[in-house]
Every structure is written in C-alpha cells, then in structure tokens.
C-alpha cells in the first residue's frame, strides 16, 4: 500500500511484496486470443515467394555448372591457360631430361604444340619421347581423357656454324608463348646464370623458365610426383609461377605449399596492416586457383629479413624437391632475376 504502480529494479533483491507491475495481467484467455489473432493474420497473408536464386540452386547439376563457368572465366584471364605453342631448348643432361618432363606435364592436358630445340650433339637423345610420355601421364592423372596426344616437333641446332640465338629468335617469331630451358650447367657459383643458358634465353622476349635439377632429380629426372614449394608475392610474376606450380601438381597428383615471406620488422602502422591484407589476398588467390583444379595446397606466412633464407628453411623443414619461383627479368645484357633468386639458386638443396 502506497507503492507506485510501476515496475522498478534495485541493485539488491527487494522483498517480493514490494514488486508490483503496471503491465496488464496475462492469463489463459488473453494468450488464446493472441494466438487466434496471429493465426488469422497468417491465413490472410499471401505466401512469400522464394528468391529466384534459391530455386535455381536446387536445380540438379547447378553447382557443377556454376563451377565450370567460374573456371572458364578464370582461364580466360590466366597465364598457362592461354598458351598455344611452347618451346623447349634442351640438351641430353639431367637438366634437359627434367625440363622435358616438366614441359610435357604442362603441355599434355592442354594439347599444346611443342617444339624441341636440341642444343647439343648427343645422338639419339630421347627428349621427344620424354615429352610425350610425360604428356600422356599428365592426361591420365588430371582426368583430361578427351585430350589427344600432343604434337612434338624437333629441330637439331647443334651443328657447327648454326647460331643458336638466331634459331631461338626465329622460333619465337612463329608465335611460341613460353620457353623452357634445360641445359647443363644452368647456373654458376653465386647463383649467376650460365653463359649457355643466357645465349638461349636472351633471344626470347616472352616468359621463360630455367630448370636446374638437384638432389634426387640428378638421377631420377622424370618423377611421378613432386613436393612443391611456391614462394608467393602479390605480383603478376608470382601469380604466373602459381599457375605453373598448380599445373605440375595437377598433372602428378602432388601437393603445393605456398609461403608468403613477409618482413621480419612488424611495427603497428597502417603500412604493416596493409601488408597483412596483401598476404591474405595473395594466399587466398592461390587457394582459389588450386581448388578449381582439385590440387591440395597448404599456406603459411614466414617472417624474415632475408626472403631466400626463409625459402631455403622451408625446403629443409618439409623436404621439398621442387621450388617454383616467379621472378622478373632485370634490364641489362646479362640475365639477372634479383638477389633473392640468385641466393636461392646458389644455396637451395633441391630443384
């Protein structure tokens, strides 16, 4: 008696006799009336149409068709996916056999016209057979059964008096999209590119790959599976390398480890935050590309003041046997791909 008819709350629990509510009583009759009103409203309201996208998603085969369209759209903007003709400059060395194997893995599922330039005089070197066998293996592994056998053209440029640089320029003018070099030696002390490789590569204006077989690939140059390390950055050269690595992994059922090497210094600044976003975007792009081709990929971020040391450390930790490193060709008459590439070439224990 004397307490206002309103609800209130104290920090301590008051006696129950002091708590009164101004809300109207709720009993069985009021509850039943509300339920009847809600039921009448539901009956009167027209059925809400389902969103069109929900209906489409339930069509059988829609998910597979959507994945196919997304893959085709990605391939239109891709690097490897737009190759039509590829060029292989090779000798009969372990590097040459490994290069022939890798190019066959890339060319096979996409039926790429392949031209082989033999740069030494070794008789009966089975380079064309290596390319064809690897291409056939790649078609079976990547489930591209509709692809036919690739066409392999061969040209011997080891005769005396033949200028190999002019021959490469001539072949490049025929529309070859990519050059792979497999010669011995590929590089020298300090990670410098060998003169033999430079004479071939300097005549080709387009993208190229230099193969240097090491470790188990010195004696086993046509492995059926690789353990691939892919150092990644947010550059188009790194994205091109990612496509090459995923093509090789797809053709052999291999696994790819993509690592992003970030600076060891990490101050709390806007620039550091932007770098973290760049790491995430670059790695997500690799994962998306790998998933499109059912390739297993794992990602990580390494922090180091020296990118080459982080790359070589990752090789030793996970027993990688192949590094696919995307680099840019520096201007000048000598082949130079930057300090990181030179240090990796000088110190890496694997191909």
């Amino acid at each position: 008696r004397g307490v206002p008819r309103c609800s209130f709350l104290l920090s301590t629990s008051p006696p129950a006799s002091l708590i009164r509510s101004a809300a109207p009583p709720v009993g069985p009759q009021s509850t039943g009336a509300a339920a009847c009103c809600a039921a009448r409203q539901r009956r009167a309201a027209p059925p809400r149409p389902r969103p069109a996208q929900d209906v489409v998603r339930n069509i059988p085969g829609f998910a597979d068709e959507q994945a196919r369209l997304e893959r085709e759209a990605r391939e239109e903007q891709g690097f490897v996916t737009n190759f039509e003709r590829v060029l292989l400059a090779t000798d009969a060395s372990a590097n040459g056999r490994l290069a022939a194997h890798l190019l066959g893995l890339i060319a096979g599922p996409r039926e790429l016209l392949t031209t082989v330039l033999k740069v030494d005089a070794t008789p009966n070197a089975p380079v064309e057979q290596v390319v064809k066998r690897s291409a056939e293996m790649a078609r079976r592994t990547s489930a591209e059964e509709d692809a036919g056998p690739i066409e392999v053209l061969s040209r011997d440029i080891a005769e005396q008096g033949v200028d190999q640089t002019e021959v490469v320029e001539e072949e490049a003018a025929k529309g070859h999209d990519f050059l792979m070099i497999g010669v011995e030696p590929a590089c020298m002390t300090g990670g410098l590119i060998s003169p033999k490789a430079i004479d071939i590569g300097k005549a080709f204006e387009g993208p190229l790959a230099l193969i240097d077989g090491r470790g188990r690939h010195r004696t086993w140059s046509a492995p059926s599976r690789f353990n691939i390390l892919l150092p990644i950055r947010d550059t188009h050269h790194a994205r091109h390398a990612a496509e090459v690595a995923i093509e090789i992994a797809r053709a052999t059922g291999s696994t790819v480890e993509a690592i992003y090497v970030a600076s060891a210094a990490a101050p709390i600044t806007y620039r550091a935050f932007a770098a973290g976003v760049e790491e995430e975007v670059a790695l997500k792009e690799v994962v998306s590309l790998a998933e499109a081709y059912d390739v297993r990929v794992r990602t990580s971020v390494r922090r180091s003041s020296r990118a080459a040391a982080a790359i070589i450390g990752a090789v030793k930790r996970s027993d990688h046997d192949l590094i696919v490193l995307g680099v840019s060709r520096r201007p000048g008459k000598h082949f130079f791909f930057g300090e990181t590439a030179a240090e990796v070439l000088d110190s890496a224990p694997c191909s």
Side-chain angles (χ1 to χ4, degrees):
R1 188 175 295 180
V3 176
R5 293 180 62 82
C6 64
S7 299
F8 61 94
L9 176 65
L10 297 176
S11 59
T12 58
S13 299
S17 59
L18 296 181
I19 300 179
R20 299 183 182 181
S21 174
V26 178
Q29 293 181 349
S30 61
T31 303
C36 291
C37 181
R40 284 196 299 271
Q41 290 176 351
R42 285 196 299 270
R43 286 196 298 269
R48 189 173 65 179
R50 296 172 61 190
Q53 59 267 30
D54 290 347
V55 176
V56 173
R57 286 194 188 101
N58 290 331
I59 297 176
F62 170 77
D64 293 340
E65 180 65 11
Q66 186 179 37
R68 184 186 67 81
L69 293 175
E70 290 175 354
R71 174 175 163 180
E72 288 181 354
R74 183 185 293 108
E75 289 185 347
E76 287 180 2
Q77 306 297 323
F79 174 61
V80 175
T81 52
N82 284 293
F83 288 172
E84 294 182 0
R85 304 182 65 169
V86 290
L87 186 62
L88 172 66
T90 180
D91 56 21
S93 65
N95 287 347
R97 293 191 298 272
L98 180 59
H101 177 55
L102 292 173
L103 194 64
L105 296 177
I106 295 171
R110 303 190 181 279
E111 299 181 74
L112 302 179
L113 175 64
T114 304
T115 302
V116 177
L117 300 179
K118 298 181 179 179
V119 299
D120 68 357
T122 303
N124 301 321
V127 178
E128 301 94 331
Q129 288 76 15
V130 172
V131 174
K132 291 180 178 180
R133 283 197 301 267
S134 300
E136 178 63 30
M137 182 184 77
R139 286 199 301 273
R140 291 195 304 267
T141 307
S142 60
E144 295 288 349
E145 298 296 341
D146 294 337
I150 65 171
E151 183 179 358
V152 179
L153 307 178
S154 181
R155 184 174 177 182
D156 193 340
I157 60 173
E159 299 100 352
Q160 275 194 331
V162 174
D163 188 329
Q164 296 184 354
T165 300
E166 289 184 359
V167 173
V168 174
E169 288 178 347
E170 179 185 332
E171 290 295 334
K174 295 178 181 178
H176 288 91
D177 303 295
F178 181 70
L179 167 65
M180 186 169 284
I181 303 173
V183 296
E184 189 81 31
C187 63
M188 304 180 298
T189 304
L192 298 176
I193 309 302
S194 71
K196 188 175 183 179
I198 291 175
D199 288 341
I200 297 169
K202 69 182 181 182
F204 193 81
E205 296 291 337
L208 58 84
L210 176 65
I211 308 302
D212 190 13
R214 300 179 184 182
R216 66 192 76 170
H217 297 154
R218 297 301 298 172
T219 55
W220 186 41
S221 55
S224 58
R225 185 163 293 186
F226 294 91
N227 186 10
I228 301 172
L229 179 67
L230 173 66
I232 196 73
R233 298 288 293 181
D234 189 23
T235 66
H236 71 277
H237 299 101
R239 286 190 287 273
H240 292 172
E243 288 194 39
V244 171
I246 288 170
E247 283 290 325
I248 295 171
R250 173 195 180 204
T252 56
S254 303
T255 300
V256 176
E257 180 182 1
I259 65 167
Y260 190 104
V261 181
S263 174
I268 308 302
T269 62
Y270 173 78
R271 186 173 181 179
F273 172 77
V277 173
E278 180 183 302
E279 297 165 10
E280 184 176 358
V281 169
L283 291 173
K284 279 186 175 180
E285 188 174 357
V286 173
V287 170
S288 176
L289 181 63
E291 288 177 346
Y293 295 103
D294 296 323
V295 171
R296 293 167 295 170
V297 62
R298 60 184 187 273
T299 63
S300 62
V301 176
R302 306 287 180 186
R303 300 200 176 275
S304 175
S305 57
R306 289 172 51 236
I311 293 169
I312 295 169
V315 169
K316 294 177 179 178
R317 275 191 301 272
S318 301
D319 194 29
H320 292 289
D321 58 7
L322 181 65
I323 303 171
V324 181
L325 180 63
V327 294
S328 60
R329 191 188 309 188
R330 302 297 195 268
K333 63 179 182 179
H334 296 293
F335 261 24
F336 186 66
F337 300 106
E339 294 293 343
T340 298
E343 191 172 344
V344 170
L345 280 172
D346 188 44
S347 306
C350 68
S351 300

